[in-house]
């Protein structure tokens, strides 16, 4: 029998990064309808950084969480509605309670790859409400396979029903994925998933590698819409899985139609592997930093590539946007000193 793969589609969440969190109500409606028609199992929506994240620091969303969840729920009948939850951005009594009230089905509770402890209360709250909770380990390239397993076991003990590791910087090669997925599948009693980014052009092959290593959940976004160079391109992924004999339950023609709809509704240019995205992958820095790094480089008249490598040396992670300015300022001061010397 063909191996079944559960596809979770964060186009309307990670894809919001690609347009600075400015997806319109019409875009949410159009893509929800298209994803539903294609039988996408889970459609994840929201601000790029998840529930409660809209702010001056990481970007203000065009729509409120309430608007996004309400309109998405209205147009997803068979597809399940998912959200990304980062404790710190997302409060329990205000944000989680409201999301449950509005009908969210799958709560993907995320932390930095070595900080699973912070997800305890959020996962417990979701499970106590009778909803599905997954644990998500972001920037997973920054931890060894053994450490990832240790952190994933914590999430499993809190009640997480699946674990997804994110290649948030698009830094992985297939061997990196294989080693981590093998370790997690062998050490956990719940399904394991993979979320790829395409900074080094490896997102599809890394996703295939994850499945071959035992992963049963894979993330992908239409046209690759996502932070930086974008995510694993969903319509390509569906086609490749079909060719390899894996079963996703997604209608190939309908998901190809969805790709055309998204291209018109979201942005005239889909994410691509830019020179700066490549440097982001090599430095192991969050893909979503590309635009603020470019702005800081212009403001301080420094090379954006140097900023990325500087951020990599400081092990910068999502939510530490203030470090971008700090690194740019330090580079500008060093450059000025070098000219004087």
């Amino acid at each position: 029998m063909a191996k079944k793969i559960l596809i979770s589609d964060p186009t309307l969440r990670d894809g919001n990064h690609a347009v600075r969190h400015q997806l319109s109500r019409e875009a949410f409606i159009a893509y929800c309808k298209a994803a539903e028609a294609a039988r996408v199992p889970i459609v994840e929506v929201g601000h790029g950084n998840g529930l409660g994240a809209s702010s001056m620091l990481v970007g203000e969303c065009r729509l409120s969480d309430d608007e996004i969840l309400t309109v998405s729920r209205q147009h997803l009948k068979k597809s399940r509605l998912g959200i990304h939850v980062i404790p710190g951005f997302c409060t329990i009594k205000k944000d989680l309670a409201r999301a449950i009230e509005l009908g969210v089905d799958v709560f993907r509770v995320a932390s930095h790859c070595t900080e699973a402890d912070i997800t305890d209360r959020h996962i417990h709250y979701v499970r106590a409400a009778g909803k599905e909770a997954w644990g998500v380990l972001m920037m997973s390239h920054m931890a060894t396979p053994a450490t990832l397993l240790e952190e994933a076991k914590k999430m499993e003990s809190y009640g997480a029903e699946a674990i997804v590791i994110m290649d948030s910087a698009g830094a992985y090669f297939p061997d990196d994925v294989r080693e981590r997925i093998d370790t997690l599948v062998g050490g956990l009693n719940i399904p394991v998933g993979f979320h790829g980014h395409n900074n080094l052009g490896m997102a599809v092959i890394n996703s295939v590698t994850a499945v071959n290593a035992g992963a049963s959940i894979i993330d992908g976004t239409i046209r690759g819409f996502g932070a930086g160079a974008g995510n694993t391109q969903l319509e390509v992924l569906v086609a490749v899985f079909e060719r390899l004999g894996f079963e996703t339950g997604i209608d190939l023609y309908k998901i190809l139609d969805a790709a055309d709809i998204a291209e018109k509704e979201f942005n005239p240019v889909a994410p691509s592997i830019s020179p700066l995205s490549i440097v982001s992958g090599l430095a192991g820095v969050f893909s979503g930093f590309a635009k603020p790094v470019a702005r800081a480089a212009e403001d301080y008249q420094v090379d954006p590539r140097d900023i990325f490598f500087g951020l990599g040396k400081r092990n910068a992670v999502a939510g530490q946007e203030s470090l971008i300015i700090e690194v740019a300022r330090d580079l500008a001061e060093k450059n000025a000193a070098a000219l004087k010397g």
Side-chain angles (χ1 to χ4, degrees):
M1 292 181 64
K3 181 174 180 178
K4 293 184 178 180
I5 307 300
L6 175 61
I7 299 293
S8 185
D9 175 359
T11 296
L12 293 173
R13 195 275 302 170
D14 214 326
N16 227 342
H17 279 298
V19 292
R20 300 185 182 182
H21 319 289
Q22 296 304 298
L23 284 178
S24 67
R25 186 176 187 275
E26 293 71 27
F28 276 92
I29 292 172
Y31 190 70
C32 282
K33 287 182 176 179
E36 175 96 353
R39 301 197 302 269
V40 174
I42 301 172
V43 178
E44 185 183 330
V45 304
H47 181 283
N49 293 85
L51 197 64
S54 181
S55 65
M56 289 290 289
L57 176 63
V58 296
E60 292 183 297
C61 201
R62 181 170 179 175
L63 303 179
S64 69
D65 288 335
D66 264 33
E67 289 174 303
I68 290 172
L69 295 179
T70 299
V71 74
S72 300
R73 181 74 284 169
Q74 288 172 349
H75 294 90
L76 294 174
K77 305 302 180 184
K78 295 181 180 178
S79 296
R80 289 190 286 167
L81 175 61
I83 57 170
H84 186 66
V85 173
I86 302 177
F89 286 137
C90 173
T91 65
I92 290 177
K93 292 184 178 180
K94 176 178 176 287
D95 299 316
L96 277 187
R98 182 59 175 159
I100 291 168
E101 181 183 338
L102 291 173
V104 171
D105 299 304
V106 181
F107 292 75
R108 295 166 51 114
V109 185
S111 75
H112 180 62
C113 60
T114 58
E115 298 173 1
D117 308 66
I118 70 170
T119 67
D120 185 357
R121 292 178 63 238
H122 287 66
I123 291 174
H124 272 113
Y125 185 86
V126 171
R127 291 302 309 279
K131 295 291 187 176
E132 189 167 342
W134 297 1
V136 176
L137 294 169
M138 302 183 293
M139 298 292 287
S140 63
H141 72 283
M142 297 179 75
T144 64
T147 297
L148 285 178
L149 178 58
E150 182 181 337
E151 297 298 309
K153 282 184 173 180
K154 292 178 185 177
M155 289 175 159
E156 184 178 25
S157 73
Y158 304 153
E161 296 164 273
I163 297 293
V164 175
I165 60 169
M166 286 188 165
D167 182 17
S168 311
Y172 279 150
F173 283 84
D175 284 348
D176 303 314
V177 176
R178 184 179 300 107
E179 186 179 13
R180 284 161 174 79
I181 297 296
D182 271 341
T183 300
L184 292 176
V185 170
L188 299 172
N189 297 307
I190 53 178
V192 173
F194 177 73
H195 171 107
H197 278 261
N198 206 37
N199 297 59
L200 300 176
M202 307 299 289
V204 171
I205 189 59
N206 282 343
S207 298
V208 171
T209 300
V211 168
N212 285 331
S216 56
I217 300 169
I218 299 293
D219 287 1
T221 64
I222 210 73
R223 293 277 180 163
F225 276 104
N231 294 58
T232 310
Q233 193 164 341
L234 179 57
E235 65 275 22
V236 177
L237 190 65
V238 170
V240 169
F241 279 166
E242 185 169 300
R243 179 71 176 271
L244 293 174
F246 298 133
E247 184 181 329
T248 66
I250 294 175
D251 185 300
L252 177 61
Y253 279 18
K254 293 293 185 182
I255 203 66
L256 295 176
D257 291 342
D260 288 334
I261 291 169
E263 187 75 2
K264 295 172 185 175
E265 289 287 343
F266 294 177
N267 194 338
V269 180
S272 61
I273 304 174
S274 68
L276 203 55
S277 296
I278 295 170
V279 173
S280 170
L282 291 174
V285 175
F286 173 49
S287 300
F289 279 179
K291 289 182 172 66
V293 163
R295 288 196 297 271
E298 185 176 351
D299 290 344
Y300 287 90
Q301 293 298 293
V302 295
D303 193 319
R305 296 168 293 190
D306 290 337
I307 297 178
F308 263 119
F309 283 120
L311 290 168
K313 289 177 182 177
R314 299 193 188 200
N315 293 321
V317 299
Q320 293 183 318
E321 279 77 2
S322 58
L323 271 181
I324 297 172
I325 303 301
E326 188 177 319
V327 169
R329 186 186 299 120
D330 288 349
L331 286 169
E333 290 174 356
K334 287 179 182 178
N335 291 346
L339 287 174
K340 288 181 181 178

